[in-house]
């Protein structure tokens, strides 16, 4: 039924976000090296990986398909927006790409609403 399909989509989106966060968490990367200080280039790679991942999910359109009707999807979108805000606050060199990501994420929903 439609309710079951919606539940599967919700779970898939939550799973997708959790996998993205896990894959782009510099503190847990490379098993056995928890807490080890990363090189600057590695740190940037993880930050940009997270931004690119969020933006790829946003550009796929999967988040905008039912965002007006689904509190769970809204929670995932809010989580991505929060992730981008955290990246904005993380380092000065992250501000511009994170701000662009926030604007792009929010603008995609404004445009969908206007359609």
């Amino acid at each position: 039924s439609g309710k079951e399909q919606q539940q599967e989509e919700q779970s898939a989106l939550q799973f997708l976000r959790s996998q993205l966060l896990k894959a782009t968490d510099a503190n847990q990367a490379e098993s056995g090296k928890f807490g080890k200080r990363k090189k600057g280039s590695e740190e940037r790679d993880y930050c940009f990986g997270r931004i690119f991942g969020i933006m790829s999910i946003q550009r796929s359109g999967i988040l905008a398909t039912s965002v007006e009707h689904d509190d769970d999807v809204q929670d995932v979108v809010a989580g991505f927006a929060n992730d981008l805000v955290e990246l904005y606050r993380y380092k000065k060199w992250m501000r511009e790409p994170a701000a662009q990501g926030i604007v792009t994420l929010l603008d995609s929903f404004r445009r969908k609403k206007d359609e």
Side-chain angles (χ1 to χ4, degrees):
S1 74
K3 182 85 170 165
E4 290 172 359
Q5 183 181 7
Q6 194 175 31
Q7 185 67 27
E8 287 177 20
E9 180 181 328
Q10 292 168 5
S11 299
L13 288 175
Q14 290 173 341
F15 177 76
L16 185 60
R17 180 169 182 261
S18 69
Q19 291 300 302
L20 174 65
L21 295 178
K22 189 166 50 169
T24 58
D25 184 352
N27 294 324
Q28 293 187 13
E30 303 176 32
S31 62
K33 296 184 181 180
F34 289 92
K36 184 179 177 191
R37 181 90 173 128
K38 302 290 183 227
K39 292 181 188 177
S41 61
E42 291 176 359
E43 184 180 18
R44 282 188 298 276
D45 290 346
Y46 285 104
C47 290
F48 281 111
R50 185 166 291 184
I51 285 181
F52 294 150
I54 293 170
M55 292 294 87
S56 295
I57 294 167
Q58 179 274 325
R59 286 185 185 107
S60 76
I62 193 169
L63 297 173
T65 56
S66 61
V67 74
E68 295 174 0
H69 307 291
D70 188 5
D71 290 339
D72 198 39
V73 174
Q74 288 180 359
D75 289 343
V76 171
V77 170
F80 281 137
N82 186 56
D83 297 335
L84 291 168
V85 169
E86 287 179 14
L87 287 168
Y88 178 88
R89 293 177 177 158
Y90 183 61
K91 295 277 186 178
K92 285 184 179 183
W93 47 262
M94 211 61 228
R95 287 183 183 165
E96 185 179 345
Q100 181 62 42
I102 293 166
V103 169
T104 302
L105 183 66
L106 297 177
D107 191 49
S108 66
F109 295 107
R110 182 190 57 80
R111 276 189 266 147
K112 174 119 175 105
K113 189 176 180 182
D114 290 346
E115 291 178 356

